[in-house]
Amino acid sequence: MANGDKRDYYEVLGVHRNASETEIKKAFRKVAIQFHPDKNPGDKVAEEKFKEASEAYEILADAQKRAQYDQFGHAGVSGTGGFSGGGFGGFGAGTPFGDIFGDIFGDIFGGGGAGRSRTQGRRGDDLLYNMEISFEEAAFGVEKKIEVPFAKRCATCNGSGSKPGTDPKVCPACRGAGQVRYQQGFFSVSKTCGQCNGEGKVVDDPCPDCRGKGSTKDTKTLSVKIPAGVETGSRLKVTGEGGQGKGGPNGDLYVAISVKEHAIFQREDNNVICEIPISFIQASLGCELEVPTLDGKVAMKIPDGTQSGKIYRLKGKGIPSLQGYGRGDQLVVIRIETPTNLNKKQKELLEEFAKISGEDVHPMKKGFLDKVMDFIS
């Protein structure tokens, strides 16, 4: 394509002329992923757009070339690009493509940039620990000691994985590079070497204690603080206490919380629900009860005429907020028990009571019967 036929590089990437290096990189990444030949096999238009965007990025990502382009246009950078003859220049370190193509390949091929595996090392695995705690511990918080597995450096081989007196050999597959290169479309792609897992070395004579892994299994004791207000399903992250990294950071430990059911309390958000059984005599005449709460027993007056299902609220007697402010309430639900296994005398007294009571002492029943009469009339 002649210089006069080329589109403006800023227009190709969709950025303004004052765009920062980060904005240019982000714009190219978006265009490159959209028109990458492996996402558009056989599409010549997409291939040309990809080449066009790559050429624009090579110029605009280089401060010196960009300055020449801004002053003289395409003529100022003629012959400086690595795209003559329909091919591409190198994508290694020192070029504007050295960092960004690792990200693009990760999006296209489902992995991270292969070129980074040896420089940054491999991060350790995350671990999951399932912890069961009591209702009260979940409400007020607790500190627990737990035993977790970890991999420690093998003392016999000092982490090399090789038998004492021997050394790892250079990987024959990648020749110590940690990567293998193969052709992908019309340019080459680097991937982590599968034989040495990116280490660049292989163990021919493994250590007898760690069997070539460079580490042995052990356990360690950790103290984990469970904050007040957690509930079943809560997960706590303990940074750096997961699997040991190999040249990279350790993984993290995640503590999954499961709260045991309580004999008398139930939880609803930050409120505690407690059902209290009383006799129909207590409900009729009123009484004073000792009600259990998370803070101990409290005295509560039940007025006469209380109906089953009535809810009383004890302010501030619920679960503390996980965010650290305020507490929920305790909801006391009244359940009236009907007496069973009555003797003859008790039955006679109840029958006598029924004769003399009339409907006035049964407001719920009277209200319901009134509604029924209104419905059928």
Side-chain angles (χ1 to χ4, degrees), residues 28 31-33 35-40 46-52 54 82-83 86-92 97 100-106 108-109 180-191:
F28 171 62
V31 175
I33 292 174
F35 295 111
H36 192 281
D38 289 291
K39 282 197 170 184
N40 305 275
E47 182 176 325
E48 288 302 320
K49 286 184 178 294
F50 182 79
K51 289 181 180 180
E52 182 183 43
S54 299
F83 302 87
F88 288 88
F91 298 139
F97 297 97
I100 194 171
F101 266 84
D103 293 336
I104 294 174
F105 293 156
I108 294 171
F109 305 129
V180 290
R181 187 178 294 273
Y182 63 95
Q183 198 69 23
Q184 181 69 43
F186 55 87
F187 53 86
S188 60
V189 176
S190 295
K191 300 291 283 184

Side-chain angles (χ1 to χ4, degrees), residues 46-311:
E47 182 176 325
E48 288 302 320
K49 286 184 178 294
F50 182 79
K51 289 181 180 180
E52 182 183 43
S54 299
E55 180 179 338
Y57 179 70
E58 186 193 33
I59 300 301
L60 298 184
D62 185 295
Q64 184 176 353
K65 293 179 182 179
R66 182 178 180 182
Q68 290 178 303
Y69 176 74
D70 289 343
Q71 186 172 2
F72 302 108
H74 291 292
V77 293
S78 178
T80 62
F83 302 87
S84 58
F88 288 88
F91 298 139
T95 74
F97 297 97
D99 57 349
I100 194 171
F101 266 84
D103 293 336
I104 294 174
F105 293 156
D107 287 335
I108 294 171
F109 305 129
R116 305 178 183 183
S117 60
R118 294 197 68 205
T119 57
Q120 293 185 358
R122 285 184 295 165
R123 181 180 182 275
D125 294 331
D126 291 334
L127 299 179
L128 177 64
Y129 186 95
N130 295 309
M131 178 184 291
E132 188 177 54
I133 60 177
S134 70
F135 194 93
E136 290 86 353
E137 289 172 336
F140 297 117
V142 67
E143 186 167 339
K144 293 276 192 180
K145 292 188 181 297
I146 61 175
E147 297 285 332
V148 296
F150 82 106
K152 67 177 182 180
R153 183 185 298 273
C154 177
T156 303
C157 66
N158 198 31
S160 71
S162 293
K163 185 177 180 180
T166 66
D167 294 311
K169 306 296 183 182
V170 174
C171 175
C174 66
R175 298 180 181 179
Q179 303 172 7
V180 290
R181 187 178 294 273
Y182 63 95
Q183 198 69 23
Q184 181 69 43
F186 55 87
F187 53 86
S188 60
V189 176
S190 295
K191 300 291 283 184
T192 301
C193 177
Q195 186 166 338
C196 66
N197 294 321
E199 296 299 319
K201 296 182 179 181
V202 292
V203 176
D204 286 339
D205 196 0
C207 169
D209 290 340
C210 67
R211 298 181 181 179
K213 294 181 179 179
S215 61
T216 56
K217 293 182 179 180
D218 202 346
T219 59
K220 58 184 174 181
T221 302
L222 295 178
S223 183
V224 179
K225 290 184 178 181
I226 310 299
V230 297
E231 56 187 318
T232 296
S234 296
R235 277 196 178 192
L236 309 178
K237 178 181 177 181
V238 186
T239 303
E241 294 294 352
Q244 186 178 45
K246 200 163 188 179
N250 290 347
D252 299 323
L253 171 67
Y254 289 88
V255 180
I257 300 298
S258 175
V259 182
K260 299 177 184 177
E261 290 188 3
H262 198 276
I264 58 175
F265 296 132
Q266 293 180 342
R267 179 172 179 172
E268 185 178 272
D269 297 327
N270 285 341
N271 293 329
V272 172
I273 300 174
C274 179
E275 295 189 353
I276 303 295
I278 64 174
S279 69
F280 82 100
I281 296 177
Q282 290 174 310
S284 301
L285 303 179
C287 62
E288 185 172 302
L289 300 176
E290 278 194 336
V291 176
T293 73
L294 291 172
D295 301 307
K297 294 181 179 180
V298 298
M300 190 176 76
K301 289 186 176 181
I302 305 297
D304 56 37
T306 294
Q307 303 299 316
S308 188
K310 176 68 176 179
I311 299 176

